[in-house]
Amino acid sequence: MNIKPTKRLYLLLLFFSILNTYSQISTNVNRIDSLLRVFKSEKNAVSKINICNLLCEAYRKKSLDTLIFYNDHLVELSKKNDYERGIGLYHYHLIHINEDLGKDRVETAKKAASIFLKVKDTVYFLKTQYYLANAFMNLSKYTEAKEIINTSLRLAIKQNLNTETGSFFRLLGLINYYEGKLDNSLNLYKKALFYYDKDSSNNKNKSELYLYMAFIYTDLGELDKSIEYLDLANTNEENVDVNIEKAVVLNKMGKHKKALRILLNNRSPSIYKPKNVNDYNTYIIADTYYQLYKYDLAIKNLKLISKGNPFFEFNIEYYNLLANCYLKINQLEKAKFNNDKALSLLDSSNVSKTKQSVFLTKSKIEIKNKNFEQALYFHKKQASLKEAYDAKINEDKVRELQVDFEVTEKDNKIKSLQISQLKKDIKISKQKDYIFIITFSLVITCILIFTFIKININSKKKNNIIAKNNIDLEDSIKEKEILLKEIHHRVKNNLQLVMSLLYIQSKQKGSNMDDFLDISQTRIVSMALIHENLYQTNNLSKVNFNEYVESLKKSILASNKNPTQNIQLQTKIGKVYFDIQTAIPLGLIINELINNAYKHAFKERKKGIIELNLQHLNDTDYQLEINDNGIGFFNNQTSKTTLGLELVKQLVIQIKGTLDVKNNLGTQYKIQFKNLTLS
């Protein structure tokens, strides 16, 4: 359907833009403060440029002078550091500066887009393309705008940029709306909504989109549908201008009292609104009172509206409504005065219905004043405009029908060609069927021959595989026999090590039987856990040392549990595997040092931390660190002279390592060693 948008919708779009700007300003304050703090302390040039960019974004709707200041700083830093993306950002912000100053944005946008394309910054390239298309739209160059949008849409969809895709569909819908193609516009808005729904951060975009869709349903006369979408807009983002539009639709439905309640609530001082939005709200209140025949209240509200509104269309509507109100109460001089004001502004209006309304009011005033010649003159002007407007609407409808007819005619020709082609295809298909049957028969014969040959070859292969498997089985049996001998050898070595540890511990002076058993038990457990780790994995020669230490940690914590103390054991070990020749001595070292720390490092202390870190230095070398924040080595003569420490030194030698002990806010053990392998 091809219907031109009404004058009211032009005004609402302008006021929506104003309110959206105010909302953005009010949410930027905290963000700006934090950005300024970071900007002052930042030393890195590229980071400083990026912060400048964020400050420009924040000040865009807040302060034009500050935006220019930080944008100049941004380009100065970018040129100094040869940062091309920064120069692109400078031109990007220049688009908005030029818009505020009323300058041409097209060339600036083109320059920014070319830089972002060169440095492969897709997001800012698409943002710039959006503003370039918007600039062409505002110049009524719809073809150029559509070309940019369609190119950008393909890129945005390919990059899965849902918000940008939705915004381009919305802009394309707005262009179709301005062209009067309401059905197309509605379909494009629905596509935009589909992409906005994919991102939960798009509530403000969705609210604006619902409002635009409501405009279309209002123009189509589907007022219930318009109210439905206005309610959706308010659900996503509470908007004063949405309520104004809702009141306008309710007035069209004849529900003036309900519209008035919404408008009066909109005027509440608790709802802050920019002055122009307040004025429009008051204007609709006055219009509603006019339709309720309460002309005095309509005049009273119109007088509340501030003078010098920047929108000519609004001023014309304002003076014309005031003139009609005075006309209704027979104050003809005031009616004429306000109508003349409206007439003086008509040259700035491009909206036919606005002019018709003013001329009609003028004709009525002149009739009341009995100036019938003047009344007839303005009546003819109004009728002429209406006739031209209706003719334009009819012309558009005829053009649309002509296009539909041509499209239908082309479709019929295409279908006729398709039928002709289909007949040819059927004939060719039959010929292909004969060829297929012959070919299929030949292929089946070849397959049967090939299958027979393959079965014969596979039979020989299977015999070879069976023979190979028998050889592998024999090798596996031999390998397991060797492994069994190795297990016996390990058991013998470990039993000898247990006997040695028990013998050494029994020679320790001053130890009672309980201590003897406890210490022996922890050492044996540390060795047993190695074997437990081995048989729980498929690899019987390598110990997963991270898992082993976790098991050992649980055992040590259980044996040193003390309800009066809170000693934490923190471990940091990567994915490390050791040969059993290394794992057992290393496990005993860890067991000795951590148990020693639990017993001696935290005397008369309620809290403490023991840290165990294992690092891989290179292919063969590792480093073990065990630290505590206890009373320290030199303050602890017991820990300095224990048999456990002597045992640690011997075990370090066994794994070809070095031991370094330091006293620094506790005791620090650092052991560097190699991963030994069975020879």
Side-chain angles (χ1 to χ4, degrees):
M1 186 176 290
N2 230 356
I3 300 175
K4 292 293 179 186
T6 65
K7 59 190 176 182
R8 175 183 55 79
L9 297 187
Y10 283 115
L11 289 172
L12 268 174
L13 286 171
L14 290 168
F15 286 120
F16 184 89
S17 175
I18 293 168
L19 197 65
N20 191 41
T21 298
Y22 166 74
S23 174
Q24 289 175 0
I25 291 170
S26 63
T27 56
N28 270 348
V29 176
N30 292 333
R31 182 167 176 249
I32 289 170
D33 290 340
S34 60
L35 283 171
L36 286 170
R37 285 195 295 272
V38 177
F39 180 75
K40 288 175 183 177
S41 60
E42 184 58 55
K43 303 297 181 187
N44 181 272
V46 174
S47 298
K48 210 170 183 73
I49 290 167
N50 288 328
I51 296 167
C52 261
N53 175 46
L54 293 174
L55 282 166
C56 288
E57 294 275 8
Y59 277 111
R60 185 186 304 163
K61 299 295 183 183
K62 185 177 175 66
S63 169
L64 178 61
D65 290 338
T66 314
L67 167 59
I68 292 169
F69 171 79
Y70 281 110
N71 201 37
D72 288 343
H73 203 61
L74 186 152
V75 73
E76 182 184 334
L77 281 170
S78 299
K79 287 178 178 177
K80 186 177 178 181
N81 293 277
D82 197 24
Y83 187 54
E84 198 164 5
R85 180 177 178 271
I87 296 169
L89 291 169
Y90 164 76
H91 288 289
Y92 170 75
H93 294 300
L94 208 56
I95 298 169
H96 307 291
I97 293 168
N98 287 346
E99 179 182 18
D100 290 340
L101 296 174
K103 296 180 181 178
D104 180 39
R105 295 183 293 160
V106 172
E107 291 306 315
T108 310
K110 284 181 178 179
K111 197 163 189 177
S114 67
I115 294 172
F116 290 133
L117 188 63
K118 184 179 177 182
V119 299
K120 297 181 180 178
D121 190 331
T122 306
V123 172
Y124 269 98
F125 171 73
L126 289 173
K127 282 183 177 182
T128 308
Q129 290 287 86
Y130 178 87
Y131 289 116
L132 182 58
N134 193 279
F136 277 124
M137 181 189 75
N138 291 335
L139 294 168
S140 299
K141 294 183 178 181
Y142 299 140
T143 304
E144 292 90 335
K146 286 178 182 178
E147 285 176 3
I148 293 166
I149 292 170
N150 289 327
T151 303
S152 302
L153 268 173
R154 287 192 289 272
L155 179 59
I157 292 168
K158 186 179 179 181
Q159 297 288 331
N160 290 320
L161 298 169
N162 296 319
T163 300
E164 286 76 6
T165 304
S167 295
F168 279 115
F169 274 121
R170 185 183 68 183
L171 188 59
L172 195 57
L174 194 57
I175 291 169
N176 277 265
Y177 179 78
Y178 288 147
E179 291 178 325
K181 300 172 182 176
L182 300 192
D183 288 337
N184 286 352
S185 180
L186 197 58
N187 288 331
L188 289 163
Y189 285 157
K190 286 176 181 178
K191 286 183 180 179
L193 189 61
F194 171 77
Y195 285 98
Y196 281 153
D197 277 336
K198 292 185 177 185
D199 190 340
S200 59
S201 66
N202 278 320
N203 279 351
K204 190 174 286 292
N205 287 326
K206 285 168 67 176
S207 180
E208 187 175 342
L209 195 58
Y210 288 136
L211 182 60
Y212 288 0
M213 292 169 83
F215 291 164
I216 293 174
Y217 283 119
T218 302
D219 278 353
L220 292 172
E222 298 181 36
L223 301 181
D224 289 330
K225 199 78 174 173
S226 179
I227 292 289
E228 179 187 333
Y229 275 90
L230 288 167
D231 287 338
L232 283 172
N234 255 343
T235 302
N236 276 272
E237 193 85 25
E238 189 67 31
N239 281 318
V240 174
D241 51 329
V242 171
N243 291 330
I244 295 173
E245 170 64 7
K246 194 171 184 179
V248 170
V249 176
L250 288 170
N251 274 333
K252 284 180 178 288
M253 298 169 79
K255 299 177 181 180
H256 305 303
K257 291 182 180 179
K258 190 174 181 180
L260 194 59
R261 281 197 298 273
I262 292 171
L263 292 164
L264 291 173
N265 184 58
N266 248 14
R267 188 185 269 174
S268 168
S270 63
I271 306 174
Y272 182 83
K273 302 169 284 295
K275 186 176 71 174
N276 292 327
V277 176
N278 243 335
D279 285 349
Y280 190 64
N281 187 72
T282 305
Y283 171 81
I284 301 299
I285 290 173
D287 188 50
T288 306
Y289 277 128
Y290 179 83
Q291 294 183 64
L292 288 168
Y293 310 111
K294 296 180 179 181
Y295 307 118
D296 290 336
L297 287 172
I299 293 168
K300 183 180 177 181
N301 277 275
L302 285 169
K303 287 182 177 180
L304 294 174
I305 295 172
S306 55
K307 301 296 183 291
N309 195 288
F311 303 113
F312 289 108
E313 211 67 51
F314 177 79
N315 289 329
I316 296 168
E317 290 290 319
Y318 164 79
Y319 286 119
N320 197 50
L321 179 58
L322 198 54
N324 275 297
C325 289
Y326 282 123
L327 183 64
K328 290 291 183 181
I329 59 175
N330 286 317
Q331 293 189 23
L332 300 182
E333 284 188 18
K334 289 183 178 180
K336 183 178 184 306
F337 173 80
N338 284 287
N339 181 251
D340 287 344
K341 283 263 191 181
L343 281 168
S344 69
L345 296 171
L346 278 186
D347 288 341
S348 62
S349 174
N350 294 317
V351 182
S352 174
K353 284 196 172 182
T354 301
K355 292 182 176 181
Q356 289 180 49
S357 178
V358 174
F359 289 146
L360 187 61
T361 304
K362 180 67 174 174
S363 177
K364 289 177 182 178
I365 292 169
E366 295 300 337
I367 289 171
K368 285 271 188 179
N369 285 323
K370 298 183 179 181
N371 295 327
F372 300 114
E373 188 177 344
Q374 282 290 306
L376 182 61
Y377 171 75
F378 282 104
H379 182 76
K380 284 181 177 179
K381 286 192 77 169
Q382 183 267 336
S384 174
L385 280 174
K386 187 177 186 307
E387 186 180 343
Y389 179 80
D390 292 342
K392 181 70 169 64
I393 295 295
N394 291 331
E395 185 183 326
D396 288 342
K397 286 181 179 178
V398 169
R399 190 183 295 113
E400 188 176 349
L401 289 170
Q402 180 66 30
V403 170
D404 289 342
F405 173 75
E406 288 173 1
V407 169
T408 304
E409 197 173 47
K410 284 181 182 178
D411 286 343
N412 290 335
K413 286 180 180 179
I414 290 168
K415 285 178 182 177
S416 177
L417 289 170
Q418 286 174 340
I419 291 168
S420 176
Q421 184 63 40
L422 187 61
K423 288 179 179 178
K424 289 179 182 178
D425 290 343
I426 291 169
K427 187 177 180 181
I428 292 167
S429 179
K430 286 181 179 179
Q431 292 174 349
K432 285 181 178 179
D433 286 343
Y434 294 135
I435 295 168
F436 173 76
I437 292 168
I438 296 167
T439 306
F440 182 74
S441 301
L442 290 171
V443 169
I444 291 295
T445 305
C446 292
I447 288 171
L448 289 171
I449 295 168
F450 176 76
T451 304
F452 176 76
I453 295 168
K454 192 172 181 181
I455 289 170
N456 200 18
I457 292 168
N458 285 342
S459 178
K460 290 180 180 179
K461 282 184 178 178
K462 284 180 182 178
N463 291 334
N464 292 334
I465 290 168
I466 291 168
K468 187 177 181 302
N469 286 343
N470 288 335
I471 294 167
D472 290 343
L473 189 60
E474 288 175 6
D475 291 342
S476 177
I477 291 167
K478 288 177 183 178
E479 185 181 343
K480 284 180 171 53
E481 286 175 354
I482 293 167
L483 188 58
L484 188 59
K485 289 177 183 179
E486 175 59 30
I487 290 168
H488 287 306
H489 179 68
R490 287 182 184 178
V491 170
K492 183 192 77 170
N493 286 347
N494 289 340
L495 287 172
Q496 284 178 343
L497 183 55
V498 169
M499 288 171 64
S500 299
L501 291 171
L502 290 172
Y503 176 75
I504 292 167
Q505 186 63 36
S506 69
K507 296 299 181 182
Q508 177 73 11
K509 293 179 180 180
S511 63
N512 57 41
M513 182 56 69
D514 288 341
D515 290 341
F516 173 79
L517 290 172
D518 286 345
I519 292 168
S520 300
Q521 183 181 1
T522 59
R523 289 169 180 165
I524 292 168
V525 166
S526 72
M527 295 170 62
L529 288 172
I530 295 287
H531 291 283
E532 184 180 342
N533 184 280
L534 284 172
Y535 72 67
Q536 285 179 348
T537 62
N538 294 326
N539 192 339
L540 295 176
S541 62
K542 296 289 183 185
V543 178
N544 185 330
F545 209 69
N546 186 24
E547 291 180 1
Y548 164 70
V549 169
E550 284 302 312
S551 302
L552 183 59
K553 177 181 174 180
K554 291 176 185 176
S555 174
I556 292 171
L557 289 173
S559 65
N560 288 284
K561 192 172 183 181
N562 186 344
T564 64
Q565 284 185 314
N566 180 17
I567 310 301
Q568 296 181 24
L569 176 54
Q570 299 174 353
T571 60
K572 186 177 178 183
I573 300 172
K575 199 169 183 181
V576 181
Y577 290 87
F578 287 131
D579 192 279
I580 194 168
Q581 294 292 96
T582 304
I584 288 177
L586 195 58
L588 286 168
I589 290 169
I590 292 169
N591 180 68
E592 290 298 326
L593 293 179
I594 293 177
N595 273 308
N596 188 57
Y598 266 104
K599 289 178 181 178
H600 305 298
F602 303 103
K603 288 181 178 179
E604 299 179 1
R605 291 195 182 185
K606 292 185 178 181
K607 292 183 179 179
I609 297 173
I610 303 170
E611 296 179 342
L612 187 155
N613 298 319
L614 182 61
Q615 297 179 6
H616 193 172
L617 300 177
N618 52 48
D619 291 342
T620 59
D621 293 330
Y622 295 80
Q623 180 173 286
L624 171 68
E625 285 187 57
I626 298 177
N627 308 320
D628 66 66
N629 63 349
I631 61 177
F633 187 88
F634 298 110
N635 295 324
N636 183 1
Q637 292 301 317
T638 307
S639 65
K640 186 176 179 182
T641 58
T642 56
L643 174 67
L645 189 55
E646 291 301 320
L647 177 61
V648 167
K649 290 177 181 178
Q650 294 302 316
L651 291 168
V652 169
I653 293 169
Q654 186 176 329
I655 59 175
K656 295 183 180 179
T658 59
L659 172 64
D660 182 25
V661 184
K662 289 183 180 179
N663 187 51
N664 181 16
L665 299 177
T667 307
Q668 297 179 348
Y669 295 94
K670 187 182 288 183
I671 300 167
Q672 291 190 0
F673 63 94
K674 296 184 180 296
N675 183 14
L676 305 177
T677 55
L678 284 167
S679 56

